[in-house]
Amino acid sequence: MSDFENTSSPALSSCGIDFLTDFWRKQYLQEYIRDGGSKIKFVTGRSGSGKTHFLHLMTGLAQKEHYKTVWFSARDIWMHDFKEIYTAILEQCDIMACLDAASVCVIREMGYDPAEIPEEMKFMDYLSQNGSGDPVTRREIRTQLRNLFLENPLLDNNFALACSMLTGSLLGYPVLEEQSRELLLSWLKGDRTVKLSQLRTLGFYPAKITRYNARNMLRSLAEVIHMGGYSGLFVAVDDMEILISRTSLETVHYTKMKREDTYESIRQLIDDIDSMHHIFFVYAFDRALIDNENAGLKSYQALWMRIQNEIVGERFNRFSDMVDLDRLAAQEYTPDVIVAISESLAMRRQNQPAAPLDRERARDLAQRAHAGSLGMPGLILKAMEVEENV
């Protein structure tokens, strides 16, 4: 993998690729996803085409648009079990911070100003101190929690009850012991060591989180994130080509069954995505995952039929759900853009200074970029390394 693939610095350059990133920012991050829609995109290309850089660039833009962002590699997480994906997402989302924001909503709904409550004091203690901690007020807190969570059709019932109890603990009513709080959080994270009998002592009778209900949990999580004042949830998944890797050196190794379970899991997510809100998934992989007829995406027709582009025009379609960065480069990476990228790379390599490419070298790269196994950004980097050694 080239340095261009590995970099996570937005300063590297968005030359050429901003044709797509600016479009996604406006159409999806600022409008469609923020307004309640959900979407799944797939990004592919040859090695060195900038897939990882693209994911990091979009993650940075999502953060600027006030999204909760999650990034992980398929080399580190088992993709065939959606519970593992849900857990990986939850771990990066700080759900208690979102519930803290939800508790502020409860306080406002009850007619109080959260700014007037001392930072270290819980809402219920504040009410009691001011002579308002009566049974009627306590009942109103329960009513507000029920309206916010339990009566929300986008929340799984068990997820909603756990969040209601945790938010109540932040408000100071109903009181929740620290051990009980940790138990609820462990259940939300799908901890296998949690015994359901322990939860029943809290008046909570949930089922275990499994691959079969994890998508409902993710939908619920996205709703709680939105309650917390965020625009939505942005999830970037890199290195999906691990599914067809045959090397024994990888942390995870996929059998035929696990690979097909992964394809089925993505297929189910695509079919469920319209029932979700404020979620943007982006999967990235080497184009070998498409080209491999026996083990790649085309080998699982139920998934391939849903993600292939039926109509391919002469111009790059920025609305396409299957994004080919090589095709984008062929259209947008003019000699001027190639020179600009090389200048950005030269500035970035502080410990190993390198001269940017001239226009003649850039024109040469543009003409032969369609051939070979390396994407345009990787070709630029390689050409600069050759120039250094001359």
Side-chain angles (χ1 to χ4, degrees):
M1 187 178 292
S2 72
D3 291 343
F4 199 98
E5 288 281 9
N6 279 321
T7 184
S8 61
S9 172
L12 174 60
S13 178
S14 59
C15 294
I17 201 69
D18 56 6
F19 171 78
L20 184 60
T21 56
D22 288 352
F23 182 83
W24 277 21
R25 184 178 193 173
K26 181 180 186 301
Q27 297 293 331
Y28 296 106
L29 296 180
Q30 294 179 349
E31 296 181 9
Y32 184 69
I33 306 298
R34 180 176 288 168
D35 291 344
S38 287
K39 196 68 179 172
I40 302 175
K41 296 279 191 178
F42 301 89
V43 176
T44 189
R46 290 170 289 179
S47 176
S49 60
K51 299 180 293 295
T52 298
H53 172 58
F54 177 81
L55 288 186
H56 283 303
L57 193 58
M58 283 305 306
T59 299
L61 291 176
Q63 289 170 349
K64 290 179 180 178
E65 296 297 336
H66 201 51
Y67 281 76
K68 275 285 187 181
T69 60
V70 174
W71 189 98
F72 61 87
S73 169
R75 298 180 186 277
D76 303 320
I77 303 294
W78 282 112
M79 300 298 296
H80 69 287
D81 186 342
F82 200 83
K83 176 190 171 185
E84 299 294 326
I85 298 172
Y86 158 76
T87 301
I89 293 172
L90 182 70
E91 289 284 356
Q92 296 186 44
C93 282
D94 191 3
I95 190 172
M96 287 306 297
C98 295
L99 294 177
D100 186 53
S103 72
V104 170
C105 293
V106 171
I107 294 171
R108 289 199 179 105
E109 284 294 320
M110 293 186 63
Y112 292 87
D113 183 359
E116 295 180 357
I117 303 174
E119 188 174 343
E120 299 301 322
M121 182 177 288
K122 293 189 176 182
F123 181 50
M124 194 63 216
D125 294 333
Y126 173 78
L127 292 175
S128 298
Q129 179 178 286
N130 289 278
S132 302
D134 54 85
V136 174
T137 303
R138 292 170 185 265
R139 185 166 63 249
E140 179 62 18
I141 293 176
R142 285 186 176 275
T143 298
Q144 290 296 333
L145 289 172
R146 183 173 64 251
N147 292 341
L148 190 62
F149 294 107
L150 299 175
E151 295 185 1
N152 188 329
L154 296 177
L155 295 180
D156 172 88
N157 288 338
N158 290 326
F159 195 102
L161 183 54
C163 288
S164 176
M165 296 169 74
L166 289 168
T167 305
S169 73
L170 293 171
L171 293 167
Y173 183 79
V175 176
L176 191 65
E177 299 294 334
E178 181 64 22
Q179 183 178 359
S180 300
R181 174 181 172 277
E182 291 302 319
L183 192 61
L184 286 171
L185 285 172
S186 295
W187 175 79
L188 283 172
K189 295 175 182 178
D191 189 339
R192 291 184 174 87
T193 64
V194 174
K195 296 180 180 178
L196 297 183
S197 58
Q198 294 174 288
L199 295 167
R200 293 188 187 111
T201 61
L202 303 176
F204 186 38
Y205 300 88
K208 283 188 175 294
I209 297 176
T210 67
R211 68 170 67 186
Y212 303 107
N213 60 13
R215 287 188 304 281
N216 289 336
M217 298 299 166
L218 177 64
R219 180 182 64 186
S220 302
L221 175 61
E223 179 65 10
V224 168
I225 287 171
H226 192 250
M227 285 180 187
Y230 288 88
S231 302
L233 172 63
F234 180 86
V235 182
V237 185
D238 201 5
D239 304 318
M240 287 293 291
E241 65 275 4
I242 187 67
L243 292 172
I244 59 173
S245 174
R246 294 189 176 184
T247 177
S248 59
L249 300 178
E250 300 288 357
T251 305
V252 297
H253 177 71
Y254 284 85
T255 61
K256 182 176 185 292
M257 181 176 293
K258 285 183 177 179
R259 182 170 58 248
E260 291 188 347
D261 283 348
T262 301
Y263 293 150
E264 175 61 16
S265 178
I266 297 173
R267 195 276 302 169
Q268 291 176 0
L269 181 62
I270 291 173
D271 288 354
D272 286 352
I273 200 68
D274 288 339
S275 69
M276 300 181 180
H277 298 271
H278 309 289
I279 302 178
F280 195 178
F281 264 95
V282 184
Y283 290 91
F285 47 84
D286 192 276
R287 65 174 306 107
L289 192 63
I290 295 177
D291 296 338
N292 189 317
E293 299 281 349
N294 295 323
L297 295 171
K298 293 178 182 177
S299 69
Y300 200 80
Q301 281 297 306
L303 174 59
W304 180 245
M305 288 173 62
R306 287 165 170 78
I307 64 176
Q308 65 178 317
N309 295 324
E310 295 291 343
I311 300 175
V312 179
E314 294 182 4
R315 296 284 297 173
F316 182 90
N317 180 8
R318 290 182 290 183
F319 281 108
S320 175
D321 291 338
M322 179 68 76
V323 176
D324 187 339
L325 292 185
D326 294 322
R327 193 159 183 265
L328 175 63
Q331 175 177 300
E332 297 298 316
Y333 285 23
T334 63
D336 287 341
V337 170
I338 292 172
V339 170
I341 292 174
S342 70
E343 289 173 345
S344 179
L345 282 168
M347 292 175 60
R348 173 176 170 269
R349 299 180 67 175
Q350 297 175 355
N351 297 329
Q352 296 177 308
L357 302 177
D358 57 31
R359 282 186 58 81
E360 182 179 351
R361 193 78 174 91
R363 281 195 297 269
D364 177 60
L365 286 184
Q367 290 174 356
R368 62 187 182 87
H370 65 280
S373 60
L374 200 60
M376 173 59 84
L379 284 174
I380 295 171
L381 187 63
K382 187 175 182 180
M384 291 176 66
E385 291 172 346
V386 171
E387 293 289 338
E388 284 182 59
N389 296 326
V390 172

